[in-house]
Every structure is written in structure tokens, then in C-alpha cells.
Amino acid sequence: MSNPYIGDLIDAVYVLAVIFFILGLRAMSSPETARRGIVQAGMAMLAAVVVTFLTPGISNWAWIAAGVFVGGGAGFVWARRVQMTAMPQMVAVFNGMGGGAAAAIAAIELLTTLTNSADVGLSLAGAIIGSTSIAGSVIAFLKLQGWMRSKPIVFPAQQGVNVAVLAIGIGFGVTSALTANPIWLGPFFLFVLLYGFLLAIPIGGADMPVIISLFNAMTGIAVALDGFALVNGPLGDAGYAMVVAGTLVGAAGSLLTVLMARAMNRSIGNVLFSAFGAKEEEGTTVAGSLKPIEPSDAAVMMAYAGSVIIAPGYGMAVAQAQGKVKELADLLEQKGVDVKFAIHPVAGRMPGHMNVLLAEAGIAYDKLFDRDEINEQFPQTDVVLVIGANDVVNPAARRQGSALQGMPILDVDKAHNVLVIKRGQGKGFAGIENELFYKDNCHMLYGDAKDVVTKLVSALKSTPG
Amino acid sequence: MTADLWTALLIAILTAFLGYEVISRVPTLLHTPLMSGSNFIHGIVLVGAIVALGLSTNNVERVIGFVAVVMGAMNVTGGYVVTERILTMFDRTKRKSGGAP
């Protein structure tokens, strides 16, 4: 080592970086401190990357510079330009990129240091989890982007095939370690990547919040495993930083995965393996009738209400209606109506998706309420406007024997009046009829969410008072 | 296992408990930035990728290392930029509604 202090400097910066990562996550406990926290974590990350260039023995500068430029540039441009409605698929890709990077690092480890058995095992594990994460994230991206049909893809003996593919992949990995012959790493990566694809194809659109969180956790764990494999080597300090950061993310992702699955009253295993929504439930008949209403009548109903709660779902995101919804909320408030928003945890395609869209439209976050906060308010509410949400407001969830039984829902049916904006008469993701739509206090506004809200806005403008 | 590995395991276990405590305090309002923010944090993989590529001695390793650096850089940059964008939106709406700064 040319300068004995360089190593200490690098270590110190990594330690500081880790501290700021933790503080950054802690700052997210309030929207008022969150931005500052992430900016500090960002500066810490930048410092950690910069000092890494001082690591003794580093060469291949042109390759590194080109890689950072290409990858960083692509990430920057995409993240700057992306529509907030297209956020889930982009986050899925960034997740996958992290997993892919972890898998690639593990590959280099396996190529160069096939000596210490613990390190080989850790690298193999990192490679498997990282590869599954990138392959699965690619599928999640294709489904969310609409380039692949979002309905679950199922085939006979699916679980058996998946397990076999994973087992064969692991077999090749172990063979490469035992024979110290890297030629087996080729089929190893092929099979574990294939396993990632297979794991993700039976996941339907509305289950995406769970699977995206899961891949986030997996990438974190893959990074931590890589870190473990590095702590022995010449890059030990980077290894410890990766262990901490990766484990933090593994914890965050795992917690979100559990929360999302719980919000649907399903186990993670059920989400992963049941191909939920693949088939529609036959023969359920619901008493009552669907009652359409004119936008002008709906507007009057809201204008003379004391309180309105808006419950948005994925339909609002698809139609890009959030801006118009904000206009609607403003108009109602000008008329003295109390307006709140009810957000179900799994509304949309990623955790917290609706909050981001409404914030983008400029709606203050103190008007957004999560399920637990707002459910008791529905019975005292005059009008609930459901925009493109279905299963999360289906009262069938409270009934024994329904496919949705036990799913925590927004109790919108308990309000005095319910207005539902819905594209057509089709069923929700779960494939079952929504009993809400047939209730006496419920009226339907058919059409694209943005068109209907636009009509409501213009009708409201011409309503006196 | 070597002493270093045991140390790393100890660190990982403590971090997992710490992470759970810290993250369970994040409100549902901020679940998207939590996800993209943690996404950004696992971008630390870029550091490992840079070292792995920097120490590569043949072209096979260099190509794999290059791929790792591209993906890691995209992960860390994109994750940061989008998280900051989202949190700025939340910041802005609060000010507009006249709440606490």
C-alpha cells in the first residue's frame, strides 16, 4: 500500500455512509424530514463511491468510467422523465439492476476465488438470489408496462417445474465449486435466471405490490451476501458496507412484503404460488341492480354534500386522472364541502402508489388517510366517490365463503351515497362480482376515469352555490 | 468460517433488527419513497462492482465487471433521483396547503 492512511480514509467514509443510510431511512418516519434525509444519504453515497476509486491496486479506469457514465446517465434520465403513473415498473427495473450487479459481482468472485468454501457458498447464494431478482423484475416490468399480458400465466405442474429448474441450477453451481471448473457457471446462471422468469410469470397485475417489495428485499439480501463474500478479501471494507446496506434493504423489503400481503389477507406463499386471478368465479349472482347515474346529477349530489371521501384505485392511474381529481377536490372545497381521500394499502401497483400520484397532482398529504384512519368515518360521510378501484371496496370481503373473505377493505358501502367511476361492467382483478355496485345507495358512472371526472368538474362549475 | 465472517454475521443480525425498528415507523403515506429509497441504498453494490472491475485481470472478468458497474450505477442514480423527486412533491404540497414548513 502506497499510503498507509488511504485504507483508513476509505473505511471512515464507508462508516459515515452507513450512518447516513440509517439516518436517511429514519427520516422517512415523517414527510417533513424525509427529503432532507435522502439528500444526506445521497451525499454519503457519492462520497463512498468517490473514495472507492482510491482503493489500492485498482486499474481498468476507462472501463469503470464508461460503466458509471452509461449506467448513471441512463438511470438519471429515466428517473427524471418518468411519469409518476409509470413509477412501479421503473422501480422494478432499478431493483433488478441491483440484483443483476450483485449476481455479476458474485460471478467474478466465483471465477477468481474458488478456494475458500464459505466464500464460494456465499457467492453462489448471492448469485442465485440476485439472478432471480433481475429476471423476475424484468417480467414485472414487462407486465406493468403492458408489453406482456398481466394476467397470471399458468401451465400444468408449474410448481414442480419451477423447483426442478432451481434445483438443476443449484446443481450446476455446486458442480462448478466442487470441480473448481468455471465452465459450469454458464448453465448455472442460465438456470437460475430461468427460475426468476418462471417465479414471476404467474403473478397477476394487482399482486405486483407484493412481488416488487419481495424483489427489493431479495436484491438487498443478494448485496449483503456479496458483502459477506468480500470481507475476507482485499476489498474487506467495501464488504462490510455492503453487508449493512444490503441487510437494511432486506429488512425494509421483507417488512413491506409482509404488510402488502397482509393488506390482502393472503400469505406470501399464496401470492407467489396460487396464480390468483387466473380464473373468474362462475355463477355468483348478487341481489339488486346496477344503477347508472348522469355526471350532472352526480355533481349536484356532491356539491350539496357536507362531506365527500374520494377512494382512488389503479383505474385513476391508468387514466392519468389525478390532475382532474385535484381540480374536482378544489371545486368541492370552494363550495364548502369537506374533502378527504381514502387510500387502501394495495391500491395501485406498488406500495403507496396512490399517495404519490395525488401528491404529484398537488393534493396536500394531510388530506390522505389510510384505511385504518378513515374506515370509521364512512358511516358519517354523505358521498364517497370511488375512482377505478374494485376489489379493495368490495363488501364481499366481509362475507363468509367469498374469495375475498377477510381482506381488509375500505368500508365505502357504509356511506350514505356511493358513486363509482368504472370503465366497464367487468369484474375486478379477483374475478368476482362487486356487491357494492348492486347496493341501493350505489350509483355507477361508466367511462374512462379522466373523462368522467372532467365531466363532473364542468358540471360542478355550472352548479350554483 | 473465518473471524471476519463471524463479525460480518454479527453486524448483519444487528442491522436486521435495527432496520426492522427504523422501517416499521415509516407511515404508509411514504411507502413508495421507502421502497425507492431502499432501492437507492442497495445501490451501494456499485462500490463492490467498481472494486471488482478495478481488480479484474482478464477480459472475461472485465466484461462481467463492466456489466456490474453499469447496472449498479443505474440502480444507485435512478433510485436516488426518483426518491428525491417524490419527496419534493410531498414537500411542495405541504407548503401549498399552508401547513407547517
Side-chain angles (χ1 to χ4, degrees), chain A residues 72-133:
Chain A
F76 182 85
V77 171
W78 193 5
R80 268 259 161 252
R81 294 195 177 165
V82 71
Q83 294 263 355
M84 283 298 145
T85 41
M87 262 278 294
Q89 52 266 49
M90 186 186 70
V91 169
V93 169
F94 291 156
N95 249 333
M97 289 295 138
I105 293 170
I108 294 183
E109 285 291 291
L110 289 167
L111 282 172
T112 51
T113 55
L114 282 169
T115 46
N116 179 327
S117 59
D119 287 354
V120 170
L122 290 164
S123 297
L124 281 177
I128 292 165
I129 296 174
S131 302
T132 309
S133 175

Short mmCIF file of all heavy atoms in Angstrom, two decimals, chain A residues 72-133:
data_model
loop_
_atom_site.label_atom_id
_atom_site.label_comp_id
_atom_site.label_asym_id
_atom_site.label_seq_id
_atom_site.Cartn_x
_atom_site.Cartn_y
_atom_site.Cartn_z
N GLY A 72 -25.15 5.35 -14.93
CA GLY A 72 -25.62 6.52 -14.19
C GLY A 72 -26.45 7.44 -15.07
O GLY A 72 -27.50 7.93 -14.66
N GLY A 73 -26.00 7.65 -16.30
CA GLY A 73 -26.72 8.51 -17.23
C GLY A 73 -28.10 7.96 -17.53
O GLY A 73 -29.10 8.68 -17.46
N ALA A 74 -28.16 6.66 -17.82
CA ALA A 74 -29.45 6.05 -18.14
C ALA A 74 -30.40 6.16 -16.95
O ALA A 74 -31.56 6.54 -17.09
CB ALA A 74 -29.25 4.58 -18.53
N GLY A 75 -29.90 5.84 -15.75
CA GLY A 75 -30.73 5.91 -14.56
C GLY A 75 -31.22 7.33 -14.31
O GLY A 75 -32.40 7.55 -14.00
N PHE A 76 -30.33 8.30 -14.49
CA PHE A 76 -30.68 9.69 -14.24
C PHE A 76 -31.79 10.17 -15.18
O PHE A 76 -32.81 10.70 -14.76
CB PHE A 76 -29.44 10.58 -14.39
CG PHE A 76 -29.69 12.03 -14.10
CD1 PHE A 76 -29.63 12.51 -12.80
CD2 PHE A 76 -29.99 12.91 -15.12
CE1 PHE A 76 -29.89 13.84 -12.52
CE2 PHE A 76 -30.24 14.24 -14.86
CZ PHE A 76 -30.19 14.71 -13.56
N VAL A 77 -31.57 9.93 -16.47
CA VAL A 77 -32.51 10.43 -17.47
C VAL A 77 -33.89 9.79 -17.27
O VAL A 77 -34.93 10.47 -17.27
CB VAL A 77 -31.99 10.17 -18.90
CG1 VAL A 77 -33.07 10.47 -19.93
CG2 VAL A 77 -30.75 11.01 -19.16
N TRP A 78 -33.89 8.47 -17.09
CA TRP A 78 -35.16 7.76 -16.93
C TRP A 78 -35.90 8.26 -15.69
O TRP A 78 -37.10 8.57 -15.73
CB TRP A 78 -34.91 6.25 -16.88
CG TRP A 78 -36.15 5.42 -17.01
CD1 TRP A 78 -37.43 5.86 -17.27
CD2 TRP A 78 -36.24 4.00 -16.89
NE1 TRP A 78 -38.29 4.79 -17.31
CE2 TRP A 78 -37.60 3.65 -17.09
CE3 TRP A 78 -35.31 2.98 -16.64
CZ2 TRP A 78 -38.04 2.33 -17.04
CZ3 TRP A 78 -35.75 1.67 -16.59
CH2 TRP A 78 -37.09 1.36 -16.80
N ALA A 79 -35.18 8.35 -14.57
CA ALA A 79 -35.82 8.72 -13.31
C ALA A 79 -36.34 10.16 -13.35
O ALA A 79 -37.32 10.50 -12.72
CB ALA A 79 -34.85 8.55 -12.14
N ARG A 80 -35.65 11.03 -14.11
CA ARG A 80 -36.09 12.41 -14.26
C ARG A 80 -37.37 12.50 -15.07
O ARG A 80 -38.25 13.30 -14.81
CB ARG A 80 -35.01 13.22 -14.98
CG ARG A 80 -34.05 13.86 -14.04
CD ARG A 80 -34.43 15.32 -13.88
NE ARG A 80 -33.83 15.84 -12.68
CZ ARG A 80 -34.51 16.15 -11.57
NH1 ARG A 80 -35.80 16.00 -11.53
NH2 ARG A 80 -33.92 16.62 -10.54
N ARG A 81 -37.43 11.69 -16.13
CA ARG A 81 -38.51 11.87 -17.10
C ARG A 81 -39.74 11.03 -16.83
O ARG A 81 -40.79 11.28 -17.39
CB ARG A 81 -38.00 11.52 -18.50
CG ARG A 81 -36.94 12.48 -18.97
CD ARG A 81 -36.73 12.34 -20.45
NE ARG A 81 -35.76 13.32 -20.90
CZ ARG A 81 -35.15 13.28 -22.06
NH1 ARG A 81 -35.44 12.28 -22.89
NH2 ARG A 81 -34.29 14.20 -22.40
N VAL A 82 -39.61 9.99 -16.02
CA VAL A 82 -40.70 9.03 -15.90
C VAL A 82 -41.98 9.68 -15.37
O VAL A 82 -41.94 10.59 -14.53
CB VAL A 82 -40.28 7.86 -14.98
CG1 VAL A 82 -40.18 8.31 -13.53
CG2 VAL A 82 -41.24 6.69 -15.10
N GLN A 83 -43.11 9.27 -15.94
CA GLN A 83 -44.41 9.68 -15.42
C GLN A 83 -44.62 8.99 -14.09
O GLN A 83 -44.25 7.83 -13.94
CB GLN A 83 -45.51 9.20 -16.38
CG GLN A 83 -45.48 9.84 -17.73
CD GLN A 83 -46.45 10.99 -17.81
OE1 GLN A 83 -47.21 11.24 -16.86
NE2 GLN A 83 -46.40 11.72 -18.90
N MET A 84 -45.26 9.67 -13.15
CA MET A 84 -45.47 9.05 -11.84
C MET A 84 -46.34 7.78 -11.95
O MET A 84 -46.22 6.87 -11.14
CB MET A 84 -46.12 10.03 -10.88
CG MET A 84 -45.12 11.04 -10.35
SD MET A 84 -43.79 10.26 -9.39
CE MET A 84 -42.40 11.29 -9.82
N THR A 85 -47.19 7.73 -12.96
CA THR A 85 -48.01 6.52 -13.12
C THR A 85 -47.15 5.33 -13.57
O THR A 85 -47.52 4.19 -13.36
CB THR A 85 -49.12 6.73 -14.18
OG1 THR A 85 -48.57 7.47 -15.25
CG2 THR A 85 -50.27 7.50 -13.60
N ALA A 86 -46.01 5.60 -14.21
CA ALA A 86 -45.15 4.52 -14.69
C ALA A 86 -44.04 4.19 -13.70
O ALA A 86 -43.12 3.44 -14.01
CB ALA A 86 -44.55 4.91 -16.04
N MET A 87 -44.15 4.76 -12.50
CA MET A 87 -43.14 4.54 -11.47
C MET A 87 -42.91 3.08 -11.09
O MET A 87 -41.77 2.65 -10.96
CB MET A 87 -43.56 5.30 -10.21
CG MET A 87 -42.90 6.62 -10.05
SD MET A 87 -41.33 6.35 -9.37
CE MET A 87 -41.84 5.73 -7.77
N PRO A 88 -43.99 2.31 -10.89
CA PRO A 88 -43.77 0.94 -10.39
C PRO A 88 -42.84 0.13 -11.28
O PRO A 88 -41.92 -0.53 -10.78
CB PRO A 88 -45.17 0.33 -10.36
CG PRO A 88 -46.08 1.49 -10.21
CD PRO A 88 -45.43 2.61 -10.97
N GLN A 89 -43.03 0.20 -12.59
CA GLN A 89 -42.17 -0.60 -13.46
C GLN A 89 -40.73 -0.11 -13.46
O GLN A 89 -39.80 -0.88 -13.58
CB GLN A 89 -42.73 -0.73 -14.88
CG GLN A 89 -43.10 0.54 -15.60
CD GLN A 89 -44.57 0.88 -15.43
OE1 GLN A 89 -45.08 0.87 -14.33
NE2 GLN A 89 -45.25 1.18 -16.52
N MET A 90 -40.55 1.22 -13.29
CA MET A 90 -39.19 1.72 -13.25
C MET A 90 -38.48 1.27 -11.97
O MET A 90 -37.33 0.85 -12.00
CB MET A 90 -39.16 3.24 -13.35
CG MET A 90 -37.75 3.78 -13.46
SD MET A 90 -37.68 5.56 -13.42
CE MET A 90 -38.12 5.83 -11.71
N VAL A 91 -39.19 1.36 -10.85
CA VAL A 91 -38.60 0.89 -9.59
C VAL A 91 -38.26 -0.59 -9.70
O VAL A 91 -37.21 -1.05 -9.24
CB VAL A 91 -39.54 1.17 -8.41
CG1 VAL A 91 -39.07 0.46 -7.15
CG2 VAL A 91 -39.63 2.66 -8.15
N ALA A 92 -39.14 -1.34 -10.37
CA ALA A 92 -38.87 -2.77 -10.57
C ALA A 92 -37.55 -2.95 -11.32
O ALA A 92 -36.73 -3.80 -10.97
CB ALA A 92 -40.02 -3.43 -11.33
N VAL A 93 -37.34 -2.15 -12.35
CA VAL A 93 -36.11 -2.30 -13.14
C VAL A 93 -34.87 -1.92 -12.31
O VAL A 93 -33.87 -2.64 -12.31
CB VAL A 93 -36.16 -1.45 -14.43
CG1 VAL A 93 -34.80 -1.39 -15.10
CG2 VAL A 93 -37.19 -2.03 -15.38
N PHE A 94 -34.94 -0.80 -11.58
CA PHE A 94 -33.78 -0.41 -10.77
C PHE A 94 -33.44 -1.48 -9.74
O PHE A 94 -32.28 -1.78 -9.48
CB PHE A 94 -34.04 0.93 -10.07
CG PHE A 94 -34.10 2.10 -11.01
CD1 PHE A 94 -34.77 3.26 -10.67
CD2 PHE A 94 -33.46 2.05 -12.24
CE1 PHE A 94 -34.82 4.34 -11.54
CE2 PHE A 94 -33.52 3.11 -13.12
CZ PHE A 94 -34.20 4.26 -12.77
N ASN A 95 -34.52 -2.07 -9.18
CA ASN A 95 -34.34 -3.20 -8.29
C ASN A 95 -33.59 -4.33 -8.95
O ASN A 95 -32.64 -4.89 -8.41
CB ASN A 95 -35.71 -3.78 -7.97
CG ASN A 95 -36.09 -3.55 -6.57
OD1 ASN A 95 -35.21 -3.44 -5.73
ND2 ASN A 95 -37.37 -3.47 -6.33
N GLY A 96 -34.07 -4.67 -10.15
CA GLY A 96 -33.46 -5.75 -10.90
C GLY A 96 -32.01 -5.46 -11.21
O GLY A 96 -31.14 -6.34 -11.13
N MET A 97 -31.71 -4.19 -11.55
CA MET A 97 -30.34 -3.80 -11.85
C MET A 97 -29.42 -4.08 -10.65
O MET A 97 -28.32 -4.60 -10.81
CB MET A 97 -30.28 -2.30 -12.18
CG MET A 97 -30.89 -1.94 -13.50
SD MET A 97 -29.96 -2.69 -14.84
CE MET A 97 -31.25 -3.27 -15.89
N GLY A 98 -29.90 -3.74 -9.45
CA GLY A 98 -29.11 -4.01 -8.25
C GLY A 98 -28.87 -5.50 -8.10
O GLY A 98 -27.76 -5.95 -7.79
N GLY A 99 -29.92 -6.28 -8.33
CA GLY A 99 -29.79 -7.74 -8.24
C GLY A 99 -28.82 -8.27 -9.27
O GLY A 99 -27.98 -9.13 -8.98
N GLY A 100 -28.92 -7.72 -10.48
CA GLY A 100 -28.02 -8.14 -11.55
C GLY A 100 -26.57 -7.81 -11.23
O GLY A 100 -25.66 -8.62 -11.46
N ALA A 101 -26.36 -6.60 -10.69
CA ALA A 101 -25.00 -6.22 -10.32
C ALA A 101 -24.45 -7.16 -9.26
O ALA A 101 -23.29 -7.61 -9.33
CB ALA A 101 -24.98 -4.76 -9.82
N ALA A 102 -25.30 -7.49 -8.28
CA ALA A 102 -24.87 -8.41 -7.22
C ALA A 102 -24.52 -9.78 -7.81
O ALA A 102 -23.51 -10.39 -7.44
CB ALA A 102 -25.97 -8.54 -6.16
N ALA A 103 -25.34 -10.24 -8.75
CA ALA A 103 -25.07 -11.53 -9.39
C ALA A 103 -23.77 -11.48 -10.18
O ALA A 103 -22.97 -12.44 -10.17
CB ALA A 103 -26.24 -11.92 -10.29
N ALA A 104 -23.51 -10.37 -10.87
CA ALA A 104 -22.30 -10.24 -11.68
C ALA A 104 -21.05 -10.22 -10.78
O ALA A 104 -20.03 -10.84 -11.09
CB ALA A 104 -22.37 -8.98 -12.54
N ILE A 105 -21.14 -9.51 -9.65
CA ILE A 105 -20.01 -9.49 -8.72
C ILE A 105 -19.75 -10.90 -8.20
O ILE A 105 -18.60 -11.36 -8.12
CB ILE A 105 -20.29 -8.52 -7.55
CG1 ILE A 105 -20.35 -7.08 -8.07
CG2 ILE A 105 -19.21 -8.64 -6.48
CD1 ILE A 105 -20.85 -6.09 -7.05
N ALA A 106 -20.84 -11.59 -7.87
CA ALA A 106 -20.69 -12.97 -7.40
C ALA A 106 -20.03 -13.83 -8.47
O ALA A 106 -19.18 -14.69 -8.17
CB ALA A 106 -22.06 -13.54 -7.03
N ALA A 107 -20.37 -13.59 -9.74
CA ALA A 107 -19.78 -14.36 -10.82
C ALA A 107 -18.26 -14.16 -10.86
O ALA A 107 -17.50 -15.12 -11.01
CB ALA A 107 -20.41 -13.94 -12.16
N ILE A 108 -17.83 -12.90 -10.71
CA ILE A 108 -16.39 -12.63 -10.72
C ILE A 108 -15.72 -13.33 -9.53
O ILE A 108 -14.65 -13.94 -9.66
CB ILE A 108 -16.13 -11.11 -10.68
CG1 ILE A 108 -16.63 -10.49 -11.98
CG2 ILE A 108 -14.64 -10.82 -10.49
CD1 ILE A 108 -16.38 -9.01 -12.10
N GLU A 109 -16.38 -13.23 -8.37
CA GLU A 109 -15.85 -13.92 -7.19
C GLU A 109 -15.66 -15.41 -7.46
O GLU A 109 -14.64 -16.00 -7.12
CB GLU A 109 -16.80 -13.73 -6.00
CG GLU A 109 -16.75 -12.36 -5.38
CD GLU A 109 -15.42 -12.15 -4.66
OE1 GLU A 109 -15.19 -12.80 -3.64
OE2 GLU A 109 -14.61 -11.35 -5.16
N LEU A 110 -16.68 -15.99 -8.07
CA LEU A 110 -16.64 -17.44 -8.33
C LEU A 110 -15.56 -17.78 -9.35
O LEU A 110 -14.96 -18.85 -9.30
CB LEU A 110 -18.01 -17.93 -8.82
CG LEU A 110 -19.10 -17.93 -7.75
CD1 LEU A 110 -20.47 -18.12 -8.38
CD2 LEU A 110 -18.84 -19.02 -6.72
N LEU A 111 -15.31 -16.86 -10.29
CA LEU A 111 -14.28 -17.11 -11.30
C LEU A 111 -12.88 -17.01 -10.71
O LEU A 111 -11.96 -17.70 -11.16
CB LEU A 111 -14.41 -16.09 -12.44
CG LEU A 111 -15.52 -16.34 -13.46
CD1 LEU A 111 -15.63 -15.16 -14.41
CD2 LEU A 111 -15.24 -17.62 -14.25
N THR A 112 -12.72 -16.12 -9.72
CA THR A 112 -11.36 -15.83 -9.27
C THR A 112 -10.97 -16.51 -7.96
O THR A 112 -9.82 -16.88 -7.78
CB THR A 112 -11.17 -14.30 -9.10
OG1 THR A 112 -12.24 -13.82 -8.28
CG2 THR A 112 -11.21 -13.60 -10.43
N THR A 113 -11.93 -16.68 -7.06
CA THR A 113 -11.54 -17.19 -5.74
C THR A 113 -12.30 -18.46 -5.39
O THR A 113 -13.12 -18.48 -4.51
CB THR A 113 -11.81 -16.15 -4.64
OG1 THR A 113 -13.19 -15.79 -4.72
CG2 THR A 113 -10.94 -14.94 -4.79
N LEU A 114 -12.05 -19.51 -6.15
CA LEU A 114 -12.74 -20.76 -5.88
C LEU A 114 -11.97 -21.60 -4.87
O LEU A 114 -11.70 -22.77 -5.09
CB LEU A 114 -12.93 -21.56 -7.17
CG LEU A 114 -14.05 -21.09 -8.08
CD1 LEU A 114 -13.97 -21.78 -9.43
CD2 LEU A 114 -15.40 -21.33 -7.46
N THR A 115 -11.57 -20.97 -3.76
CA THR A 115 -10.75 -21.71 -2.80
C THR A 115 -11.45 -21.88 -1.46
O THR A 115 -11.64 -23.00 -0.99
CB THR A 115 -9.42 -20.98 -2.57
OG1 THR A 115 -9.69 -19.59 -2.39
CG2 THR A 115 -8.50 -21.16 -3.75
N ASN A 116 -11.88 -20.75 -0.85
CA ASN A 116 -12.50 -20.81 0.46
C ASN A 116 -13.96 -21.26 0.33
O ASN A 116 -14.76 -20.61 -0.32
CB ASN A 116 -12.41 -19.40 1.07
CG ASN A 116 -13.05 -19.32 2.43
OD1 ASN A 116 -14.01 -20.01 2.70
ND2 ASN A 116 -12.50 -18.48 3.26
N SER A 117 -14.30 -22.38 0.99
CA SER A 117 -15.62 -22.96 0.74
C SER A 117 -16.74 -22.05 1.23
O SER A 117 -17.80 -21.97 0.61
CB SER A 117 -15.73 -24.32 1.40
OG SER A 117 -15.52 -24.19 2.79
N ALA A 118 -16.55 -21.35 2.35
CA ALA A 118 -17.59 -20.45 2.85
C ALA A 118 -17.86 -19.35 1.83
O ALA A 118 -19.01 -19.03 1.51
CB ALA A 118 -17.18 -19.84 4.18
N ASP A 119 -16.80 -18.77 1.28
CA ASP A 119 -16.97 -17.70 0.30
C ASP A 119 -17.67 -18.19 -0.95
O ASP A 119 -18.49 -17.49 -1.55
CB ASP A 119 -15.62 -17.09 -0.07
CG ASP A 119 -15.07 -16.23 1.06
OD1 ASP A 119 -15.81 -16.04 2.05
OD2 ASP A 119 -13.93 -15.76 0.96
N VAL A 120 -17.31 -19.40 -1.37
CA VAL A 120 -17.95 -19.95 -2.57
C VAL A 120 -19.45 -20.12 -2.33
O VAL A 120 -20.28 -19.73 -3.16
CB VAL A 120 -17.31 -21.30 -2.97
CG1 VAL A 120 -18.12 -21.97 -4.06
CG2 VAL A 120 -15.88 -21.08 -3.44
N GLY A 121 -19.80 -20.66 -1.17
CA GLY A 121 -21.21 -20.84 -0.84
C GLY A 121 -21.95 -19.51 -0.82
O GLY A 121 -23.04 -19.38 -1.38
N LEU A 122 -21.34 -18.51 -0.19
CA LEU A 122 -21.97 -17.19 -0.11
C LEU A 122 -22.15 -16.58 -1.50
O LEU A 122 -23.18 -16.00 -1.82
CB LEU A 122 -21.13 -16.26 0.77
CG LEU A 122 -21.13 -16.58 2.26
CD1 LEU A 122 -19.98 -15.88 2.96
CD2 LEU A 122 -22.46 -16.17 2.87
N SER A 123 -21.11 -16.72 -2.33
CA SER A 123 -21.19 -16.16 -3.67
C SER A 123 -22.27 -16.85 -4.49
O SER A 123 -23.01 -16.21 -5.24
CB SER A 123 -19.85 -16.27 -4.40
OG SER A 123 -18.87 -15.52 -3.71
N LEU A 124 -22.36 -18.17 -4.35
CA LEU A 124 -23.40 -18.91 -5.08
C LEU A 124 -24.78 -18.42 -4.63
O LEU A 124 -25.66 -18.16 -5.47
CB LEU A 124 -23.28 -20.41 -4.83
CG LEU A 124 -22.21 -21.16 -5.63
CD1 LEU A 124 -22.18 -22.64 -5.20
CD2 LEU A 124 -22.45 -21.06 -7.13
N ALA A 125 -24.94 -18.27 -3.31
CA ALA A 125 -26.23 -17.81 -2.80
C ALA A 125 -26.54 -16.41 -3.33
O ALA A 125 -27.66 -16.12 -3.78
CB ALA A 125 -26.24 -17.82 -1.28
N GLY A 126 -25.54 -15.52 -3.30
CA GLY A 126 -25.73 -14.17 -3.83
C GLY A 126 -26.10 -14.20 -5.30
O GLY A 126 -26.96 -13.45 -5.76
N ALA A 127 -25.45 -15.08 -6.04
CA ALA A 127 -25.71 -15.18 -7.48
C ALA A 127 -27.13 -15.68 -7.73
O ALA A 127 -27.83 -15.17 -8.61
CB ALA A 127 -24.70 -16.13 -8.13
N ILE A 128 -27.57 -16.66 -6.95
CA ILE A 128 -28.92 -17.21 -7.15
C ILE A 128 -29.97 -16.14 -6.86
O ILE A 128 -30.88 -15.88 -7.66
CB ILE A 128 -29.14 -18.45 -6.25
CG1 ILE A 128 -28.26 -19.60 -6.71
CG2 ILE A 128 -30.62 -18.86 -6.26
CD1 ILE A 128 -28.14 -20.72 -5.69
N ILE A 129 -29.84 -15.49 -5.69
CA ILE A 129 -30.86 -14.52 -5.30
C ILE A 129 -30.83 -13.29 -6.22
O ILE A 129 -31.86 -12.80 -6.67
CB ILE A 129 -30.69 -14.13 -3.82
CG1 ILE A 129 -30.92 -15.37 -2.95
CG2 ILE A 129 -31.66 -13.03 -3.43
CD1 ILE A 129 -30.64 -15.16 -1.48
N GLY A 130 -29.62 -12.82 -6.55
CA GLY A 130 -29.51 -11.68 -7.44
C GLY A 130 -30.07 -11.97 -8.82
O GLY A 130 -30.77 -11.15 -9.41
N SER A 131 -29.79 -13.15 -9.36
CA SER A 131 -30.28 -13.52 -10.68
C SER A 131 -31.80 -13.65 -10.68
O SER A 131 -32.48 -13.21 -11.61
CB SER A 131 -29.68 -14.86 -11.13
OG SER A 131 -28.28 -14.78 -11.15
N THR A 132 -32.34 -14.26 -9.62
CA THR A 132 -33.80 -14.38 -9.52
C THR A 132 -34.43 -13.00 -9.51
O THR A 132 -35.44 -12.73 -10.17
CB THR A 132 -34.20 -15.12 -8.23
OG1 THR A 132 -33.45 -16.33 -8.17
CG2 THR A 132 -35.67 -15.43 -8.21
N SER A 133 -33.79 -12.09 -8.77
CA SER A 133 -34.33 -10.74 -8.65
C SER A 133 -34.32 -10.02 -10.00
O SER A 133 -35.32 -9.41 -10.38
CB SER A 133 -33.52 -9.95 -7.63
OG SER A 133 -33.95 -8.62 -7.58
#
